[in-house]
């Protein structure tokens, strides 16, 4: 895969070391190659040698050498926090995920002929986690799947389509609260700019090694989303070419948005429990799906893999009444209590790896 060439020039060598290390282990590093300089004359010689440069960001101390070299690439200026005023000025010391988003935004806004809408070459598999039972652990499963993908050195995107989106308990409150509404507006008004705005508005969770859209505090944003917009959003992420896996987290309403997400997925992971109430809710949900979407429900059923949430062991007998074939069994998810990012139990981690391996390979036809 061809990478865009990023040149960064600052006086602080330790800053460049931290930046290079972070890029090396992030999704940004899959698209960009960093070349760093602390010496102005070394930068001047590099630029005059004609090496390809797509984006150059430097401190003001390097300006004379850049002007002397006469480069024609997109350039940005590192400035102290609180001093940014121009479109090409970037605060040097800020959270690294935000800094990398600033690089992407600068490139997208300044590239001629739309060249800034950087696209990768990956073919993303799409998996939707769903259930008719609330509180069953859909968000935990979805995030752990994405995390496991990132831990393998691949790239994953987590998309939460729940009306009551509580993923901030895992992901925090970084990013713009209006990110989803801005991205949806772009999809409607300027769809050709969707890739660039996705780069600008997404966030990166360094611990989980996943990208995501920041949770929206206003549940009406999700309430007003249409099935068509949901499809455009999923397509924009999938066709960006950045991700090996897109994991969609849904609620149990099975409204048009949820159904459209299911239809856009390669695999559906349906979670169920060994209780009569879970079986009844599942049967009612599928009756609703069949009544609303007719023959399309059969195709959804064909893509569905059944995930058994087992409260104590791996015995399949409690699921005999579900009348479906259990594909995977999930043991208790967490150890050590609850928290912002609780540790997954060894058995749960093993089950996640098994699901990821089988369903990702299946989704890609291998």
């Amino acid at each position: 895969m061809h990478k865009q060439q990023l040149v960064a020039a600052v006086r602080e060598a330790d800053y460049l070391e931290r930046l290079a290390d972070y890029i090396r282990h992030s999704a940004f590093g899959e698209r960009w190659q960093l070349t760093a300089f602390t010496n102005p004359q070394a930068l001047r010689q590099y630029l005059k040698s004609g090496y390809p440069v797509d984006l150059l960001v430097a401190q003001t101390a390097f300006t004379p050498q850049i002007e002397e070299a006469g480069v024609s690439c997109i350039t940005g200026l590192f400035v102290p926090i609180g001093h940014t005023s121009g479109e090409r000025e970037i605060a040097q010391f800020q959270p690294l995920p935000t800094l990398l988003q600033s690089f992407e935004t600068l490139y997208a806004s300044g590239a001629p002929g739309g060249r800034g809408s950087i696209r990768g070459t990956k073919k993303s598999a799409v998996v939707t986690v769903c259930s008719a039972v609330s509180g069953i652990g859909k968000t935990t499963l979805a995030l752990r799947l994405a995390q496991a993908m990132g831990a393998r050195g691949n790239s994953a995107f987590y998309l939460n389509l729940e009306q009551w989106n509580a993923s901030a308990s895992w992901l925090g409150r970084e990013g713009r609260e209006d990110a989803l509404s801005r991205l949806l507006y772009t999809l409607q008004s300027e769809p050709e700019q969707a890739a660039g705005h996705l780069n600008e508005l997404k966030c990166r969770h360094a611990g989980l090694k996943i990208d995501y859209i920041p949770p929206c505090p206003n549940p009406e944003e999700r309430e007003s989303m249409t099935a068509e917009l949901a499809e455009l959003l999923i397509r924009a992420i999938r066709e960006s070419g950045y991700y090996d896996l897109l994991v969609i987290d849904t609620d149990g309403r099975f409204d048009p948005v949820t159904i459209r997400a299911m239809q856009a997925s390669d695999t559906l992971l349906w979670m169920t429990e060994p209780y009569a109430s879970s079986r009844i809710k599942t049967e009612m949900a599928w009756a609703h799906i069949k009544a609303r979407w007719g023959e399309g429900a059969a195709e959804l059923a064909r893509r569905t893999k059944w995930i058994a949430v087992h409260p104590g062991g791996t015995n399949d007998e409690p699921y005999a009444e579900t009348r479906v074939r259990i594909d995977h069994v999930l043991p208790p998810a967490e150890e050590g209590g609850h928290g912002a990012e609780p540790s997954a139990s060894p058995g749960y981690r093993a089950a996640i790896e098994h699901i990821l391996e089988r369903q990702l390979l299946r989704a890609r036809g291998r």
Side-chain angles (χ1 to χ4, degrees), residues 1 25 82-83 87 116 128 149 151 155 162 195 202 221 231 359:
M1 173 182 173
H25 297 94
H83 290 69
E87 292 182 356
T128 290
M149 195 68 176
S155 53
E162 296 178 291
K202 71 186 180 185
E221 191 70 49
E231 183 175 4
Q359 303 318 321

Side-chain angles (χ1 to χ4, degrees), residues 9 23 33 54 65 102 105 131 154 217 248 261 266 337 339 351:
I23 289 176
Q33 177 68 45
D54 296 293
Q65 288 73 29
S102 298
T105 301
S131 178
N154 297 308
I248 305 175
D266 302 296

Side-chain angles (χ1 to χ4, degrees), residues 130-139 162 164 250-254 270-273 275 277-278 281-282 309:
C130 46
S131 178
V133 182
S134 60
I136 197 171
K138 293 189 300 294
T139 296
E162 296 178 291
W164 311 110
T250 64
D251 54 29
R253 294 186 300 161
F254 298 99
W270 191 293
M271 302 178 71
T272 186
E273 294 175 316
Y275 307 119
S277 59
S278 177
K281 289 181 179 180
T282 297
V309 179

Side-chain angles (χ1 to χ4, degrees), residues 45 53 73 91 161 165 188 221 241 245 268 280 304:
Q45 184 61 40
V53 179
C73 64
L161 292 180
N165 182 352
Q188 296 177 86
E221 191 70 49
L245 180 67
L268 310 178
I280 293 171
T304 298

Side-chain angles (χ1 to χ4, degrees), residues 167-313:
S167 61
S169 62
W170 287 73
L171 304 173
R173 291 288 183 183
E174 289 189 11
R176 303 183 56 130
E177 290 187 344
D178 64 345
L180 178 60
S181 59
R182 287 171 60 87
L183 185 54
L184 293 178
Y185 178 79
T186 299
L187 288 169
Q188 296 177 86
S189 60
E190 300 177 290
E192 70 280 358
Q193 298 297 323
H197 279 211
L198 177 64
N199 284 329
E200 175 186 353
L201 297 169
K202 71 186 180 185
C203 282
R204 177 77 176 174
H205 193 286
L208 296 176
K209 297 183 179 179
I210 62 173
D211 288 354
Y212 64 95
I213 298 294
C216 177
N218 182 5
E220 293 181 358
E221 191 70 49
R222 166 61 173 82
E223 186 69 27
S224 62
M225 186 185 296
T226 64
E228 290 72 22
L229 271 179
E231 183 175 4
L232 289 174
L233 176 60
I234 294 167
R235 185 184 303 168
I237 299 170
R238 183 174 203 171
E239 295 182 358
S240 68
Y242 300 155
Y243 302 103
D244 296 289
L245 180 67
L246 165 59
V247 183
I248 305 175
D249 190 359
T250 64
D251 54 29
R253 294 186 300 161
F254 298 99
D255 62 353
V257 168
T258 297
I259 296 297
R260 190 61 63 90
M262 294 167 68
Q263 293 170 332
S265 300
D266 302 296
T267 303
L268 310 178
L269 300 180
W270 191 293
M271 302 178 71
T272 186
E273 294 175 316
Y275 307 119
S277 59
S278 177
R279 175 177 57 81
I280 293 171
K281 289 181 179 180
T282 297
E283 291 174 352
M284 293 175 65
W286 276 101
H288 169 73
I289 293 171
K290 291 175 182 177
R292 291 288 301 274
W293 284 274
E295 296 180 359
E299 175 59 24
L300 293 180
R302 188 187 67 80
R303 299 183 211 167
T304 298
K305 293 298 177 180
W306 291 85
I307 309 297
V309 179
H310 207 293

Side-chain angles (χ1 to χ4, degrees), residues 329-344:
V329 176
L330 283 178
E334 300 168 8
E335 59 183 14
H338 301 280
E341 202 174 307
S343 299

